[in-house]
Amino acid sequence: MRTNQPLTTIRNLGILAHVDAGKTTLTERVLYATGTTHKRGEVHDGTTVTDFDSQERDRGITIFAAAVSCTWDGHQINLIDTPGHVDFSDEVERSLRVLDGAIAVFDAVAGVEPQSESVWRQADRHGVPRFAFVNKMDRVGADLDAAVESIRERLHPAPMVVQLPIGQENEFAGVVDLVQMRALLWSDDGGFEEGPVPDALLDEARRRRRVLEEAVAERHSAALEEFCAQQEMSASTLASALRELTHSGEGLVVLCGSAYRNRGIEPLLAAVIAYLPSPVDVPPVHGVWADEEQERPADLDAPLSALAFKVVVAPTGRLTFLRVYSGTVHKGAEVFDAGTRKSERISRILRVQADRHTEVERAVAGDIVAVVGPKNARAGASLCARSAPVLFEPPVVADPVVSVAIETRSAADTDRLATALLRTTDEDPSLVVRTDSETGQTLLSGLGELHLEVAVEKIRRAYGVEISVGRPRVAYRETVLSGVAGLEYKHVKQDGGSGQFARIVLDVEPAEEEEFVFQSAVVGGAVPREFVRAVEAGCRDALADGPLGGHPVTGVRVTLTDGATHVKDSSELAFRTAGRLGLREALRASKMALLEPVSEVAVTVPEDAMGTVLGDLAMRRGQVSASASRSGTVTITATVPLAELFGYSDRLRSRTHGRGSFTAKPAGFALAPK
């Protein structure tokens, strides 16, 4: 546990990569190398620390961002292992919001993969400094130079390679540190030794060191002065310049290794300390209060400010994960939620080790901890001192793109399902639950089909609710293409006592500008005003189910042209009934058409996939309205029937090798094909 540790010795970082690039294995090796764990966990064995959820172990992928802490060389490292699958990009987004730095992991064979681009863009938006670790150097086909070139071409940074691999593929045994000009060699048991650069690699190491110095001198003025004066750089100047270029984002330090074989972990930890920023190295966070901008520097003596970036509802209680930006929070303290303007009590503070926790007495600026006590604070909540309130911008929540209909198999589970859905959406704000007002279905919406599959399985496992999952029903409409004129309807009912009598004459025609228009052209008082209102109410009743399939009717204009009353038997009820039954008869006599809901879709894909995506949109009856190119990608705007969007998320990813994304929003209704 940290006690009075300087903020300069803290590193808050995340590990970012495409799925299967080795993030979780790298995290395991970091924990092992730092002595935090005494046995190396393996993804394929389901024994990793951070992939502790049963679904993560079953599927062999990271689903939920997991936080761990360790120490190395007198520094505390708070590390978040983030998911690599695109369906869980919202977990990455919330993590990046509170991190000071990141390690981008790349496969030495595949180079930059599709999701690598997505998480890279997310890190760019948050301005998170990072360096690269080219993993799996022991694989057949591993090529550091090719991986670096793909980073340069696809992500457009300025790669600065600081290591030269010793051995290739299965013979990969270590690296040459080009900054210190030393060799690091690992044995099969994971130990390593430092020594001089092998003679066979000395010329190549000198050449690469020269390339590194030139790249740094080109972007760093102080390093350039030394380089011009001495024709070389000292190790300290080079390391200092690399640190500053990493912080500014002008350069990308590149390391390499094999996490699975435990090679390259120690220099990676050294790079975390040497190149990534501490809480005091990043700009103060900004928020607002009372329409005034507020600033919170990383200072233990400043007023408390923290951002809740994750909520976990566990059987043992509700955990709220916090990044403390300034000040100190003590166990038992009362904090102010600036969003809800309510007080919350911190009953426990926990140092997190994935699914294990160690209780501490306080958390200070620079800490990432979990707290127990807040009952209403959601992800994105700003917790602060009541005397110095500040409201931070919450993490951006992605709009859901796919939905499923869910229902319980037993009526007795209805309440349990409602509770499970509430807790599930509390943990994951990118999941949205709503009830379709027309179909009555409960719809669960998320970022992809795997995202929803995981959420549904979690409800089944964690809450013991048996649910059925199906496709949402599409809410169709019916409309009038050509109507009828002068349709007469007489409602007469006589069964003892007061009878019912109403006679109306209706004209029905399309109304393009509005859903329903009713007007009266009755002259001479043939139908009194109060009965006219009753006819309109009856017509609205008839619009609830059309003649084609019982769908609501829209886009119709009804004109009451004539009618008749009876002295005793006419009433508002009689005329309302006549309006309802009369319009139904008129609609059956009209030429009707089915309308289907359509969505406006914006599809963003690489330029080389544009033809494939356009062809797929055409197959889905999409109508393209615009396209725009930018930085090697194309954004296609089209109107697509909602029924054709089911399964589109996975189809788009497969056709673009995971590099495509889309957003959709309702765009009204259009004529359905016959």
Side-chain angles (χ1 to χ4, degrees):
M1 183 184 73
R2 173 159 65 94
T3 57
N4 301 322
Q5 189 170 4
L7 296 185
T8 54
T9 62
I10 310 302
R11 299 293 184 272
N12 294 314
L13 64 133
I15 298 185
L16 314 174
H18 184 87
V19 65
D20 288 335
K23 299 180 306 303
T24 301
T25 300
L26 178 60
T27 304
E28 289 297 316
R29 299 307 185 261
V30 166
L31 294 177
Y32 181 74
T34 57
T36 307
T37 60
H38 303 289
K39 183 180 179 181
R40 289 176 287 184
E42 303 294 352
V43 173
H44 55 269
D45 291 335
T47 57
T48 58
V49 172
T50 53
D51 282 357
F52 57 85
D53 185 84
S54 58
Q55 288 202 73
E56 292 179 312
R57 292 182 171 178
D58 290 347
R59 299 174 187 272
I61 62 171
T62 300
I63 296 173
F64 309 106
V68 293
S69 295
C70 57
T71 58
W72 178 261
D73 193 22
H75 291 68
Q76 177 177 313
I77 299 174
N78 298 319
L79 179 63
I80 296 181
D81 178 20
T82 64
H85 197 285
V86 64
D87 278 18
F88 309 105
S89 59
D90 205 59
E91 287 275 333
V92 182
E93 185 73 21
R94 292 197 299 274
S95 299
L96 284 171
R97 178 65 174 78
V98 299
L99 294 174
D100 300 326
I103 303 172
V105 181
F106 301 94
D107 188 312
V109 178
V112 176
E113 297 176 90
Q115 187 60 9
S116 306
E117 295 184 53
S118 298
V119 295
W120 189 271
R121 289 195 295 266
Q122 286 178 287
D124 279 343
R125 287 200 304 272
H126 290 279
V128 175
R130 72 215 83 144
F131 67 80
F133 180 72
V134 178
N135 192 24
K136 303 187 179 183
M137 289 295 296
D138 58 324
R139 285 185 60 193
V140 175
D143 188 333
L144 176 61
D145 292 336
V148 170
E149 189 58 31
S150 72
I151 293 172
R152 190 193 313 274
E153 292 180 355
R154 300 274 289 276
L155 305 180
H156 313 295
M160 298 180 180
V161 183
V162 298
Q163 292 177 341
L164 169 65
I166 300 175
Q168 292 183 334
E169 300 178 349
N170 192 49
E171 301 299 321
F172 173 72
V175 298
V176 174
D177 180 350
L178 298 177
V179 177
Q180 300 291 338
M181 288 302 286
R182 60 180 180 171
L184 300 174
L185 291 168
W186 283 268
S187 59
D188 291 337
D189 62 4
F192 81 101
E193 59 182 22
E194 179 181 336
V197 179
D199 292 340
L201 292 175
L202 191 56
D203 289 342
E204 179 65 12
R206 288 171 176 167
R207 185 187 71 81
R208 289 181 180 250
R209 166 67 182 248
R210 186 72 175 184
V211 170
L212 174 62
E213 290 176 340
E214 290 174 351
V216 169
E218 185 179 336
R219 295 167 176 82
H220 193 278
S221 57
L224 176 62
E225 290 182 12
E226 181 175 316
F227 185 70
C228 291
Q230 303 178 15
Q231 298 303 305
E232 63 179 4
M233 291 182 199
S234 66
S236 59
T237 298
L238 185 55
S240 176
L242 287 171
R243 176 180 174 84
E244 292 181 23
L245 292 174
T246 299
H247 289 195
S248 66
E250 296 179 59
L252 177 71
V253 171
V254 180
L255 294 87
C256 64
S258 169
Y260 180 68
R261 296 179 66 179
N262 211 39
R263 296 177 181 179
I265 306 304
E266 291 84 1
L268 177 139
L269 287 166
V272 167
I273 295 168
Y275 304 129
L276 293 183
S278 71
V280 297
D281 294 323
V282 297
V285 292
H286 290 81
V288 297
W289 188 257
D291 296 328
E292 293 185 6
E293 185 171 338
Q294 305 287 326
E295 183 178 279
R296 292 291 185 270
D299 185 350
L300 276 64
D301 298 323
L304 172 67
S305 66
L307 181 71
F309 66 95
K310 183 179 176 67
V311 172
V312 175
V313 183
T316 55
R318 189 175 191 267
L319 297 180
T320 304
F321 285 74
L322 301 181
R323 164 65 193 267
V324 183
Y325 286 115
S326 64
T328 304
V329 58
H330 292 271
K331 175 182 175 181
E334 187 177 274
V335 296
F336 181 65
D337 188 332
T340 62
R341 305 201 175 198
K342 295 181 180 179
S343 294
E344 298 275 10
R345 185 166 297 278
I346 306 297
S347 59
R348 298 169 65 201
I349 302 175
L350 306 173
R351 183 78 59 199
V352 180
Q353 204 72 358
D355 59 338
R356 291 167 289 182
H357 316 111
T358 302
E359 190 164 346
V360 296
E361 293 298 315
R362 66 171 190 158
V364 301
D367 265 329
I368 292 179
V369 295
V371 297
V372 179
K375 297 180 180 179
N376 301 307
R378 296 178 61 86
S382 300
L383 302 181
C384 54
R386 180 178 284 275
S387 60
V390 59
L391 184 63
F392 296 126
E393 182 180 352
V396 176
V397 179
D399 294 326
V401 298
V402 64
S403 303
V404 293
I406 58 175
E407 61 181 12
T408 58
R409 296 180 182 177
S410 169
D413 286 339
T414 302
D415 290 342
R416 293 170 64 194
L417 175 61
T419 301
L421 289 173
L422 180 63
R423 291 179 178 176
T424 301
T425 54
D426 195 19
E427 290 185 274
D428 188 349
S430 61
L431 290 170
V432 176
V433 177
R434 64 183 178 89
T435 301
D436 192 299
S437 59
E438 296 181 9
T439 66
Q441 290 179 303
T442 299
L443 302 181
L444 179 64
S445 304
L447 303 182
E449 295 186 13
L450 179 60
H451 186 208
L452 294 179
E453 184 181 326
V454 167
V456 168
E457 187 62 25
K458 184 174 183 179
I459 291 172
R460 287 174 175 154
R461 294 187 184 186
Y463 303 102
V465 181
E466 285 298 320
I467 54 179
S468 299
V469 179
R471 286 174 47 155
R473 291 194 295 268
V474 173
Y476 290 97
R477 296 285 191 274
E478 298 178 24
T479 192
V480 175
L481 293 182
S482 61
V484 294
L487 185 138
E488 179 182 355
Y489 185 83
K490 185 184 293 185
H491 174 64
V492 180
K493 186 176 182 181
Q494 192 72 46
D495 53 3
S498 298
Q500 295 185 26
F501 177 88
R503 173 182 172 274
I504 58 174
V505 180
L506 302 176
D507 288 350
V508 176
E509 58 186 331
E512 296 181 1
E513 69 276 12
E514 294 184 45
E515 293 184 359
F516 173 65
V517 179
F518 180 88
Q519 58 191 26
S520 174
V522 176
V523 296
V527 180
R529 184 175 301 173
E530 63 271 20
F531 292 165
V532 171
R533 290 195 296 268
V535 173
E536 180 180 358
C539 289
R540 292 186 181 276
D541 293 340
L543 298 176
D545 52 343
L548 295 181
H551 308 291
V553 179
T554 186
V556 59
R557 180 192 303 275
V558 177
T559 304
L560 177 64
T561 59
D562 199 2
T565 61
H566 186 276
V567 176
K568 293 183 178 181
D569 294 342
S570 291
S571 63
E572 290 187 15
L573 176 61
F575 273 91
R576 181 166 186 161
T577 303
R580 175 168 54 85
L581 299 178
L583 181 55
R584 283 184 178 175
E585 185 173 312
L587 293 176
R588 286 194 292 268
S590 301
K591 183 178 180 181
M592 303 291 293
L594 195 65
L595 298 176
E596 61 180 348
V598 296
S599 295
E600 182 180 295
V601 177
V603 187
T604 302
V605 297
E607 289 182 342
D608 57 8
M610 181 177 177
T612 302
V613 172
L614 286 173
D616 189 50
L617 287 173
M619 289 176 58
R620 295 173 185 271
R621 299 186 285 122
Q623 296 184 352
V624 177
S625 57
S627 65
S629 299
R630 182 181 179 184
S631 301
T633 62
V634 179
T635 299
I636 303 166
T637 304
T639 302
V640 184
L642 179 60
E644 299 289 350
L645 288 178
F646 296 135
Y648 184 60
S649 178
D650 281 359
R651 182 68 174 272
L652 176 65
R653 289 169 190 161
S654 67
R655 285 180 171 265
T656 61
H657 304 290
R659 299 164 64 195
S661 62
F662 81 102
T663 59
K665 62 181 180 180
F669 290 82
L671 287 174
K674 296 182 179 179

